[in-house]
Amino acid sequence: MTSEQHRSRGWVIGRLAGAPVIVTPSWFVAAAVLTVVFAPTVRRFAPGLATGGVLVVAFAFVLLLFASVFCHEAAHAFVARSRGHRVTELAMTLWGGHTAYTGTQRRPLDGVLVAVVGPVTNLVLAGGFWLAFQATPTASVPALLLYAAFFSNVFVGVFNLLPGLPLDGGQILEAFVWKATGSRRRGTIAAGWIGRVVAVGVLAWALVLPVLRGSAPSVTTVIWSAVVGAFLWQGAGDAMTAARRREIVDALVVGPLAGRAVAVATGTSLADAARIVSGVPDASLVVVDTAGAPLGWVDPAAAATVPPAVAGTTPVDAAVVPFPPGSAVEASLAGSSLLEHLAATSAGARVVPVVEHGRVTGVLDVARVAAALRPS
């Protein structure tokens, strides 16, 4: 589960919760590897099966596993949408899958609900597979698949509940620390560091547990544990970086970033406009219509090209740069709401108007907003 907005590369096979379901190229790598890994278990259980049959059964287990992962991600998607997020994709990947959504979590409860539903779904599925396994009368290939699906769902559910980011349990821990301290950033940092402890623990488990049992560590297990640990370590680091970036975003407010503005009616001459703005140092000229709605800002360079002799008869409209429709920024906007508004309406404009109660109070240079997002 992630709040990333970048679309994964792959094939769209459907839509769920208003978002595309994507199978990435890496999923096929994972499916092939897991089929080969599970094949020896099938061979031991059913020695009479031909090689083709063994691979078919092993691949059937892989499909069951990824169907369970898909249910996990679908649960995240539906709950995220119910909490006001816009789900952007559900992707099947090398690591199983992820759900991406946009929107800021406003309460710790939202984070808990979105996170916990995934592992709970796996544990419920595990219960269903266990009951079906118990109902299977003989030791057969279907029984093997049902037991394997039970075990894999228990593992996915329990592993995802470990209290460290980027796992679901880390999201839950983040929410509890956020609730206790009032700071989501502190929650993310705490869960991120514990996520790194979990990452090291995964590798330590592969190395130390066999030694305690008096055997040598499995090279394959160590390699896989190292890969998983590296993935978890990187994910925890990314989460902490995102928390610091989110803190910068949350601190954005229009007031300190906005410049002064003087509003003049459309049709006002450049000479009159220059006299009006001369009493307000460093102010921008904003042209408004008869109702006071901002139309555009006067480009000083363009205005300077008008000869003084005709400035008294040339309207400001001749040097105006139109504002994109709907780009006016309410003076009360802040944080992610401000960024989302600019992204949706500014259309690449350099300057947008700032309004309060329908009246122009300033202008906002988009470049200043971008600069404010850079870490100091």
Side-chain angles (χ1 to χ4, degrees):
M1 180 178 57
T2 173
S3 55
E4 292 292 327
Q5 300 183 39
H6 300 293
R7 175 101 171 241
S8 298
R9 296 179 60 185
W11 297 269
V12 177
I13 61 172
R15 297 187 70 84
L16 196 70
V21 178
I22 301 171
V23 177
T24 67
S26 66
W27 179 88
F28 293 94
V29 176
V33 170
L34 288 173
T35 298
V36 172
V37 168
F38 191 62
T41 300
V42 178
R43 173 72 70 189
R44 287 193 301 270
F45 187 83
L49 276 180
T51 300
V54 168
L55 292 177
V56 168
V57 173
F59 184 65
F61 162 71
V62 171
L63 291 180
L64 275 175
L65 175 61
F66 276 99
S68 299
V69 171
F70 176 76
C71 290
H72 175 114
E73 299 302 333
H76 282 318
F78 282 118
V79 175
R81 188 172 68 168
S82 74
R83 307 307 291 183
H85 299 288
R86 182 175 66 85
V87 181
T88 57
E89 71 174 27
L90 290 84
M92 296 293 102
T93 68
L94 176 67
W95 298 105
H98 71 251
T99 301
Y101 58 87
T102 62
T104 302
Q105 290 181 3
R106 293 175 175 83
R107 299 180 300 169
L109 178 62
D110 294 340
V112 171
L113 293 176
V114 174
V116 76
V117 70
V120 167
T121 298
N122 285 117
L123 296 177
V124 170
L125 287 172
F129 283 121
W130 175 255
L131 292 175
F133 169 71
Q134 292 295 319
T136 305
T138 60
S140 59
V141 168
L144 171 65
L145 289 175
L146 289 171
Y147 183 80
F150 154 75
F151 180 82
S152 60
N153 271 281
V154 169
F155 175 79
V156 171
V158 172
F159 184 74
N160 270 282
L161 285 173
L162 291 176
L165 289 171
L167 300 172
D168 295 325
Q171 310 248 2
I172 296 170
L173 175 62
E174 174 193 48
F176 277 111
V177 176
W178 177 10
K179 178 68 174 178
T181 64
S183 169
R184 187 181 177 190
R185 177 180 178 274
R186 290 179 183 174
T188 306
I189 298 300
W193 278 111
I194 293 179
R196 287 184 165 178
V197 171
V198 170
V200 173
V202 168
L203 181 57
W205 167 80
L207 291 171
V208 176
L209 188 61
V211 174
L212 294 177
R213 292 177 173 175
S215 60
S218 165
V219 174
T220 301
T221 302
V222 170
I223 291 174
W224 273 105
S225 298
V227 172
V228 172
F231 169 75
L232 294 176
W233 183 280
Q234 180 64 45
D238 290 344
M240 290 189 284
T241 300
R244 297 184 182 99
R245 188 181 303 117
R246 188 169 58 241
E247 187 177 47
I248 294 173
V249 170
D250 290 344
L252 284 178
V253 290
V254 171
L257 296 173
R260 294 179 175 183
V262 172
V264 295
T266 180
T268 302
S269 72
L270 282 170
D272 288 342
R275 283 192 293 271
I276 293 170
V277 78
S278 63
V280 186
D282 302 320
S284 298
L285 269 172
V286 174
V287 179
V288 298
D289 62 16
T290 54
L295 299 175
W297 62 285
V298 176
D299 183 356
T305 62
V306 177
V310 296
T313 57
T314 303
V316 287
D317 307 72
V320 76
V321 179
F323 293 127
S327 63
V329 175
E330 289 289 341
S332 59
L333 272 184
S336 59
S337 297
L338 170 60
L339 295 184
E340 289 168 8
H341 175 81
L342 290 176
T345 65
S346 65
R350 174 186 157 194
V351 174
V352 296
V354 177
V355 298
E356 189 170 4
H357 305 301
R359 184 176 62 86
V360 174
T361 59
V363 291
L364 186 63
D365 189 329
V366 177
R368 290 194 66 187
V369 177
L373 291 173
R374 301 190 194 102
S376 55

